[in-house]
């Protein structure tokens, strides 16, 4: 069988909708999440991996993967792993299962900002996005853009939040700017400059972090509620209107959000600066509530 | 009567234990000790309890409960169980427990001795539950009961080396594989579900392995609109720069990046890297940047130009079977986006903005795509979203 990389459009490949018993020799326990690019499973690692963890998360991409795409994706994952950031989950290995690319990583048990395992306070959300911003900055300093920052990828760990699922679609599906409507509302976290064809950058990731924070603390997106059923209308709205910070947000949070959503040359320059401002704000709030 | 209980169960002769109760079928091998007897009673009590009250789909609760018992050593370490769920089966495998669809060569067993609990669709052919034999007994082979004989364990606990859960014979037609099973069970799903775990065809360690390329330069700071041009294919085009130096199609009235009127442009015709010309927005929301040429189709990788990197592959899946392997090409020429049908079997349809009539492209004849033009290929469709709004 010839293996190739390709953009995958339309219905999923004919592999059915059930939960597979395994991805390669990882025993699948359940589906943790799914999008247009693939699925994330909770799985038991094989003995050959020699991991003590009972469970790991396995992300498997849809569709076949060419050797060149595989090599680039592995190189990218190794570059991320080499950072050893406490705010990035560890990735154990990558491979091909049934011709599809997959990788295994830490399973973070407390959910994500999109679906936290318990209700998070506003201060906890600020800290979670601060940690995600720290992770993004570490990536940027290493010459890597995450390219998929959104609430679903900010995982809530027991000690800190982690930024997961770096956008490998750039290598597995060249040209892709949006992975599709299977991830609800994914478009609202994409800086319009990226929709226009710009490469993901520091400023587009600061923008995405702000969109993520806004969704988590305000409960609505910076463009209101974009329709998942009408992706073209959502894209047009984003390219023709300016994002709006919800008026009911506290002024201190609103000010930081606005500073991230300004035009690229006026917004907060680095994710590290955003992380610092969010941490300071969280500390100040802790002081107020503690006092 | 629930569908599960309409299925016949044939017991394979032997000394293990086979139990059937409403909605549940179990094969187990309790230890030959008092603890083993006690563990068997615990499981049988659990099955009996789950069957009480006429619960139609005991599989959900039973799977979780049984797992807990096994993990605490309160149930036999070797067992295979299937139980009805609303639309399929819950499976619990422990120790030597396995399920198989022999006619398809599928087998699912425990790996590393861990308890497996999962939900599956109905298999398309009889499902065997059994326990791997100890090495001393292997090779002796247990003869399968003759399928033509009307064996059927309806309810109870009996000795046996395995059990086959089959469908009842159809009253109206010649019995065939899968007869009587819910039509919604897709064969591919069961194929995937029962595929044995196999090591990856290729794998590479990530943790603790440095990348080959060494350190990279940090991402630039600050970022301006210039990076739009950098992300293009490297093709150079001639156009006008707006007041903020964004290169634009000479026909554009407004800058594609900052939106200011091109009347305020520098007025100097210059050459520069071509910025992306727009997006292809598919019906499922997936969007692709028009910064390179694409080949669309079912298997675009068969094209030499894809293999050599001159065209990007864009694989289209659909179930209608009308998409050709090489169906259509998106070609960027200067500031234009051209669509070409590659001689596809069923054609490429286009409709201009707001039009309700679709036109078929003439194979091999490029058509310049206009802003908001819709394209239909088989069951898939996409819209050309122009960034430059050239007339």
């Amino acid at each position: 069988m010839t293996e190739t990389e390709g953009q995958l459009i339309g219905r999923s490949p004919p592999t059915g909708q059930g939960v597979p018993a395994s991805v390669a020799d990882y025993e699948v326990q359940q589906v943790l999440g799914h999008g247009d690019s693939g699925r994330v499973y909770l799985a038991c690692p094989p003995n050959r991996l020699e991991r003590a963890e009972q469970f790991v998360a396995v992300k498997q991409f849809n569709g076949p993967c060419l050797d060149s795409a595989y090599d680039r994706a592995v190189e990218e994952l190794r570059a991320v792993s080499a950072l050893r950031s406490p705010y990035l989950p560890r990735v154990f290995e990558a491979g091909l299962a049934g011709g599809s690319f997959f990788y295994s990583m830490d399973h973070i048990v407390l959910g994500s900002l999109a679906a936290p395992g318990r209700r998070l306070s506003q201060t906890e959300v600020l800290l979670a996005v601060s940690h995600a911003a720290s992770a993004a900055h570490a990536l940027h300093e290493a010459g890597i853009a995450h390219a998929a920052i959104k609430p679903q990828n900010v995982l809530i760990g027991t000690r800190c939040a982690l930024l997961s699922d770096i956008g490998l679609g750039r290598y597995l599906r060249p040209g892709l700017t949006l992975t599709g409507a299977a991830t609800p509302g994914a478009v609202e976290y994409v800086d319009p400059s990226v929709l226009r064809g710009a490469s993901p950058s520091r400023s587009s990731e600061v923008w995405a972090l702000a969109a993520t924070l806004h969704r988590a603390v305000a409960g609505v997106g910076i463009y209101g509620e974009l329709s998942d059923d009408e992706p073209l209308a959502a894209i047009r709205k984003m390219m023709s209107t300016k994002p709006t910070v919800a008026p009911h947000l506290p002024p201190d949070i609103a000010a930081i959000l606005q500073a991230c959503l300004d035009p690229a040359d006026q917004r907060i320059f680095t994710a590290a600066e955003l992380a610092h401002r969010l941490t300071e704000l969280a500390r100040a709030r802790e002081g107020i509530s503690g006092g | 009567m629930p569908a599960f209980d309409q299925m016949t169960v044939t017991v394979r002769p032997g000394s293990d234990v086979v139990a059937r109760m409403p909605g549940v079928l179990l094969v187990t091998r309790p230890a030959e000790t008092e603890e083993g007897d006690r563990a068997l009673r615990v499981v049988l009590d659990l099955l009996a309890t789950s069957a009480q009250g006429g619960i139609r789909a005991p599989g959900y609760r039973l799977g979780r409960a049984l797992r807990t018992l096994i993990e605490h050593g309160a149930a036999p370490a070797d067992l295979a169980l299937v139980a009805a769920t609303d639309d399929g089966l819950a499976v619990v495998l422990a120790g030597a427990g396995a399920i198989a669809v022999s006619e398809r060569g599928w087998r699912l067993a425990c790996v590393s001795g861990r308890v497996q609990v999962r939900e599956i669709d109905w298999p398309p052919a009889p499902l065997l539950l059994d326990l791997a034999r100890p090495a001393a007994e292997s090779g002796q082979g247990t003869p399968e009961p003759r399928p033509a004989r009307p064996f059927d364990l309806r309810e109870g606990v009996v000795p046996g080396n395995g059990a086959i859960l089959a469908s009842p014979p159809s009253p109206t037609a010649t019995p065939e594989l899968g007869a009587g099973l819910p039509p919604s069970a897709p064969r591919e799903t069961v194929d995937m579900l029962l595929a044995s775990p196999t090591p990856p065809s290729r794998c590479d360690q990530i943790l603790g392995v440095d990348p080959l390329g060494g350190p990279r330069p940090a991402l630039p700071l600050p970022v301006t609109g210039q990076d739009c041009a950098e992300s293009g294919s490297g093709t150079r085009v001639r156009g006008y720069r707006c007041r903020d130096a964004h290169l634009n199609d000479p026909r554009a009235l407004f800058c594609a990046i900052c939106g200011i009127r091109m009347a305020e442009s520098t007025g100097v015709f210059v050459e520069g890297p071509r910025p992306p010309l727009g997006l292809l927005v598919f019906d499922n929301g997936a969007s692709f940047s028009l910064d390179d040429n694409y080949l669309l189709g079912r298997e675009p990788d068969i094209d030499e130009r894809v293999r050599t990197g001159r065209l990007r592959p864009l694989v289209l899946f659909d179930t209608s079977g009308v998409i050709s392997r090489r169906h259509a090409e998106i070609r960027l020429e200067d500031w234009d986006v051209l669509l070409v049908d590659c001689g596809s079997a069923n054609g490429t349809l286009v409709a201009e903005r707001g039009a309700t009539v679709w036109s078929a492209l003439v194979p091999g004849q490029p058509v310049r795509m206009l802003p908001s033009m819709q394209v239909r290929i088989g069951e898939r469709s996409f819209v050309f979203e122009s960034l430059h709004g050239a007339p």
Side-chain angles (χ1 to χ4, degrees):
Chain A
M1 187 179 77
T2 305
E3 290 181 347
T4 181
E5 68 186 343
Q7 334 293 335
L8 304 169
I9 287 299
R11 297 195 174 85
S12 298
T15 50
Q17 297 301 311
V19 181
S22 60
V23 173
D25 47 0
Y26 290 79
E27 293 173 46
V28 171
Q29 303 297 309
Q30 66 181 79
V31 177
L32 292 173
H34 61 90
D36 227 40
S37 64
R39 280 179 167 186
V40 181
Y41 300 105
L42 177 70
C44 300
N47 289 338
R48 62 173 179 79
L49 208 61
E50 298 180 343
R51 300 298 318 172
E53 291 85 357
Q54 185 181 8
F55 298 113
V56 296
V58 175
K59 170 144 190 177
Q60 185 175 33
F61 288 79
N62 291 334
C65 174
L66 230 182
D67 282 349
S68 59
Y70 178 91
D71 291 341
R72 288 201 65 183
V74 165
E75 179 75 358
E76 202 69 6
L77 288 174
R78 283 178 173 162
V80 173
S81 177
L83 299 176
R84 294 178 177 80
S85 166
Y87 304 118
L88 293 164
R90 294 173 303 169
V91 174
F92 304 122
E93 71 166 3
L96 290 178
S100 299
F101 187 79
F102 79 88
Y103 63 87
S104 58
M105 59 184 157
D106 281 323
H107 168 52
I108 310 299
V109 295
L110 298 179
S112 69
L113 263 190
R118 62 173 175 80
R119 187 179 170 83
L120 301 176
S121 69
Q122 212 166 57
T123 304
E124 287 175 311
V125 172
L126 292 173
L127 282 175
V129 178
S130 165
H131 296 161
S134 295
H137 183 70
L139 292 170
H140 298 163
E141 289 297 295
I144 303 165
H146 186 281
I149 295 173
K150 54 189 174 186
Q152 289 87 345
N153 289 342
V154 179
L155 305 181
I156 311 300
T158 50
R159 287 182 296 179
C160 64
L162 299 96
L163 184 59
S164 77
D165 206 359
I166 187 166
L168 293 179
R170 290 167 285 176
Y171 314 112
L172 301 172
R173 305 165 73 183
L176 185 73
T177 59
L178 266 176
T179 56
T183 306
V187 66
E188 74 182 61
Y189 309 105
V190 181
D191 185 340
S193 73
V194 175
L195 286 177
R196 290 192 183 93
S199 299
S201 61
R202 288 181 190 263
S203 72
S204 72
E205 309 245 279
V206 165
W207 195 98
L209 286 161
T212 297
L213 174 61
H214 191 280
R215 169 61 71 176
V217 294
V220 295
I222 50 179
Y223 291 95
E225 295 303 339
L226 298 172
S227 170
D228 291 333
D229 297 330
E230 297 178 43
L232 186 59
I235 288 171
R236 284 177 176 166
K237 183 174 182 182
M238 288 189 63
M239 297 219 276
S240 61
T241 60
K242 289 185 176 177
T244 309
V245 176
H248 68 270
L249 285 180
D252 47 5
I253 296 179
I256 292 178
L257 287 169
Q258 193 57 58
C260 296
L261 298 172
D262 282 338
D265 53 355
Q266 298 165 31
R267 72 180 64 147
I268 290 177
F269 270 5
T270 66
E273 184 184 343
L274 173 60
H276 175 72
R277 289 179 65 169
L278 291 175
T279 304
E280 290 297 305
L281 185 54
R283 281 184 183 151
R285 287 171 163 249
E286 281 290 293
I288 292 169
S289 60
Chain B
M1 183 183 277
F4 185 96
D5 297 328
Q6 294 172 352
M7 307 299 171
T8 60
V9 168
T10 310
V11 177
R12 219 164 49 174
S15 57
D16 293 335
V17 176
V18 176
R20 183 176 190 183
M21 296 184 193
V24 189
L25 178 61
L26 167 78
V27 176
T28 186
R29 183 186 300 149
E32 299 288 342
T33 60
E34 284 188 15
E35 285 78 15
D37 296 339
R38 192 159 44 242
L40 177 61
R41 277 198 300 275
V42 166
V43 171
L44 294 178
D45 285 347
L46 176 66
L47 302 193
T49 306
S50 74
Q52 287 173 356
I55 297 173
R56 180 183 164 81
Y60 302 111
R61 200 172 57 185
L62 201 52
R64 288 191 293 271
L66 198 49
R67 171 180 222 141
T68 305
L69 287 178
I70 296 167
E71 289 177 346
H72 287 82
D78 297 310
L79 63 79
L81 173 142
V82 293
T85 62
D86 285 326
D87 53 0
L89 297 172
V91 177
V92 182
L93 301 175
I99 57 172
V101 181
S102 305
E103 300 190 23
R104 303 298 173 96
W106 296 330
R107 186 172 179 84
L108 178 64
C110 273
V111 179
S112 315
R114 293 191 182 96
V115 179
Q116 290 206 46
V117 179
R118 62 184 80 249
E119 291 166 24
I120 67 171
D121 289 334
W122 275 101
L127 181 72
L128 168 70
L129 290 76
D130 72 354
L131 307 172
R133 308 305 304 165
E137 298 178 31
S138 64
Q140 293 178 0
T142 306
E144 295 287 338
R146 286 183 61 80
R149 292 185 179 161
F151 298 120
D152 187 11
L153 174 63
R154 304 303 296 179
E155 189 166 345
V157 184
V158 297
N161 267 4
I164 300 167
L165 177 67
S167 54
S170 165
T172 56
T174 305
E176 59 180 40
L177 291 177
L181 295 174
S184 60
R187 178 175 160 175
E188 294 81 7
T189 301
V190 181
D191 190 4
M192 184 172 68
L193 288 167
L194 295 186
S196 298
T198 50
S201 55
R202 182 177 175 184
C203 71
D204 289 275
Q205 188 178 335
I206 301 297
L207 191 65
V209 179
D210 288 332
L212 297 172
R216 309 178 195 182
L219 293 186
L221 166 87
V223 175
T224 70
Q226 289 294 323
D227 60 349
C228 290
E230 290 167 9
S231 66
S233 61
T235 302
R236 296 182 73 80
V237 290
R238 292 177 68 81
Y240 291 111
R241 291 198 184 279
C242 77
R243 191 182 58 196
D244 291 337
H246 301 129
L247 188 63
N248 277 273
D249 185 335
R251 298 165 293 186
L253 300 176
F254 300 92
C255 174
I257 305 299
C258 57
I260 63 174
R261 287 184 67 84
M262 290 305 290
E264 301 174 34
S265 70
T266 58
V268 180
F269 202 48
V270 295
E271 185 180 284
R274 180 175 57 205
L277 298 183
L279 292 170
L280 300 180
V281 183
F282 280 79
D283 45 6
N284 69 344
S287 305
F288 291 85
S289 179
L290 285 168
D291 55 354
D292 208 344
N293 302 316
Y294 289 89
L295 184 62
L296 290 68
R298 194 159 39 84
E299 295 177 27
D301 55 297
I302 62 170
D303 193 291
E304 182 65 19
R305 294 168 299 171
V306 170
R307 291 206 203 98
T308 54
R310 282 182 289 155
L311 292 177
R312 278 186 190 158
L314 207 159
V315 181
L316 301 175
F317 283 114
D318 85 341
T319 54
S320 63
V322 300
I323 295 180
S324 296
R325 295 200 290 174
R326 280 179 300 202
H327 200 109
E329 184 184 334
I330 298 281
R331 196 183 296 163
L332 309 186
E333 283 191 7
D334 291 330
W335 292 95
D336 289 335
V337 180
L338 306 179
L339 176 66
V340 190
D341 182 274
C342 303
S344 65
N346 293 288
T348 302
L349 302 175
V350 296
E352 291 187 15
R353 180 182 197 164
T356 54
V357 179
W358 293 83
S359 319
L361 295 188
V362 177
Q365 207 167 91
V367 169
R368 181 176 160 240
M369 296 191 74
L370 300 173
S372 301
M373 182 178 264
Q374 305 169 75
V375 180
R376 186 183 292 170
I377 295 177
E379 288 184 345
R380 315 313 319 165
S381 65
F382 63 87
V383 174
F384 166 48
E385 185 69 358
S386 170
L387 297 178
H388 292 263

